[in-house]
Amino acid sequence: MITRFAPLALITFLCTPAAAQEAPGDYILLLDEQNRPLVGSYRIGPDVKMTIQGREDGLPRNPVYLDRAFFPTREAEMLAFYNARHAYSSDPAAIDVGGEMRIVDTETLQPPLFKDQKPEREKALKVKVSARLAFEASGYKLVGKAYTVEGAELGDEDRRLGDFFHVETFDIVLSAPASRKIAAVEIGKALSSSDFEALFVERTSPIPDFTKCITEKRKTADYKALAEKQKANVDAFLAKNFPEGQVFWADTERYEANFAMNIYSLCPN
């Protein structure tokens, strides 16, 4: 839980952003007081990472691939068949505390999913930065900012809208309510992107039998071989091609390699 704040200048001086030091295979988890992941990030390549958002009482949300967390310029989600590039009329990173900015997000699909689908669409957003916070968790000095994103239309359910907290130290974004539960940080290595997802699900699953299956699978030689294949194939492809707009699920062989490693296919019941 965020309970103690320190002078921002001091923490900024002491803290080198961990995101800049990440190597492929590294993961970061922000944990609550029960040691359950609130959000996690796995570094696939220099310009792409997988992020997973936890849920309070259930399995986590689907993994999302990003180049950066705070207003990404590349974003993709396999299960939603979503793959897009974002360009912003103004840079949201330039907003000072207490300030706001109206921006237009030009979203270009890579490529359109359907023949008659427009490849480009625009979304007007209003971004407000309400506070900059500095705190410590597990010995790490964390710096971040609280911000709100509003849409131009009332009743909009776009998941980009709402109250958020950007942990700049790790370049991780999570909802404002979740950010208030941060109690610890865990940094480690995973065998591949799906192994990181398995690790995350194992720590958050409310289903004992499913959790047991994940734990047992992750210990086997077959599982480790699948993870190594995924890292050498799927993850290596993303690391090289994601910045240019390509994703692995456009290729049948890579999609099948990823599916074979997915924890929901390895533990279907």
Side-chain angles (χ1 to χ4, degrees):
M1 182 180 298
I2 302 175
T3 57
R4 183 164 63 85
F5 299 93
L8 177 59
L10 175 61
I11 285 190
T12 304
F13 176 77
L14 291 174
C15 184
T16 300
Q21 301 173 354
E22 293 172 59
D26 290 351
Y27 74 78
I28 299 168
L29 294 176
L30 302 184
L31 310 168
D32 65 15
E33 290 183 335
Q34 285 72 48
N35 215 36
R36 289 170 53 87
L38 297 162
V39 64
S41 174
Y42 174 79
R43 177 61 61 182
I44 296 174
D47 300 304
V48 56
K49 58 184 175 179
M50 171 194 278
T51 64
I52 303 178
Q53 299 282 339
R55 285 182 173 144
E56 190 169 343
D57 296 308
L59 295 171
R61 299 185 183 279
N62 296 327
V64 177
Y65 301 88
L66 304 168
D67 61 344
R68 67 189 194 201
F70 185 70
F71 287 87
T73 63
R74 280 285 291 113
E75 183 179 17
E77 183 179 342
M78 185 189 73
L79 294 179
F81 296 103
Y82 178 74
N83 180 27
R85 188 180 304 281
H86 298 273
Y88 308 103
S89 57
S90 299
D91 184 4
I95 307 173
D96 291 329
V97 174
E100 67 177 59
M101 178 184 289
R102 293 181 182 273
I103 66 171
V104 175
D105 175 5
T106 302
E107 179 186 52
T108 305
L109 302 179
Q110 309 276 317
L113 187 58
F114 308 108
K115 289 183 179 179
D116 59 348
Q117 189 176 23
K118 292 182 179 180
E120 188 174 287
R121 53 193 179 192
E122 293 185 346
K123 176 79 172 184
L125 303 170
K126 182 167 68 174
V127 186
K128 303 177 183 178
V129 175
S130 58
R132 181 171 289 277
L133 306 175
F135 59 97
E136 184 174 310
S138 300
Y140 293 94
K141 316 299 187 196
L142 307 186
V143 176
K145 59 188 173 188
Y147 68 99
T148 299
V149 183
E150 298 176 354
E153 299 178 11
L154 293 175
D156 198 325
E157 296 183 357
D158 193 316
R159 68 181 179 183
R160 289 172 294 183
L161 308 182
D163 296 318
F164 301 96
F165 186 71
H166 179 213
V167 183
E168 295 167 310
T169 309
F170 297 129
D171 186 33
I172 290 178
V173 165
L174 67 170
S175 71
S179 72
R180 290 189 280 272
K181 299 178 182 178
I182 297 173
V185 176
E186 178 179 309
I187 295 178
K189 290 277 188 181
L191 299 176
S192 69
S193 55
S194 286
D195 181 49
F196 170 66
E197 182 181 8
L199 179 155
F200 197 106
V201 173
E202 182 182 23
R203 302 273 289 274
T204 57
S205 170
I207 309 167
D209 288 347
F210 184 46
T211 304
K212 181 180 179 183
C213 176
I214 298 173
T215 301
E216 292 175 348
K217 287 285 185 182
R218 294 186 69 226
K219 295 177 182 177
T220 67
D222 287 346
Y223 177 92
K224 292 176 181 177
L226 286 172
E228 290 174 0
K229 181 178 180 180
Q230 183 189 42
K231 186 170 185 178
N233 187 345
V234 174
D235 292 352
F237 177 85
L238 283 176
K240 180 179 179 181
N241 298 288
F242 185 80
E244 302 306 315
Q246 297 182 54
V247 289
F248 68 85
W249 53 88
D251 180 272
T252 301
E253 179 185 349
R254 292 190 176 93
Y255 173 83
E256 291 176 349
N258 187 77
F259 180 79
M261 182 58 200
N262 186 274
I263 199 60
Y264 297 104
S265 60
L266 290 172
C267 294
N269 297 318

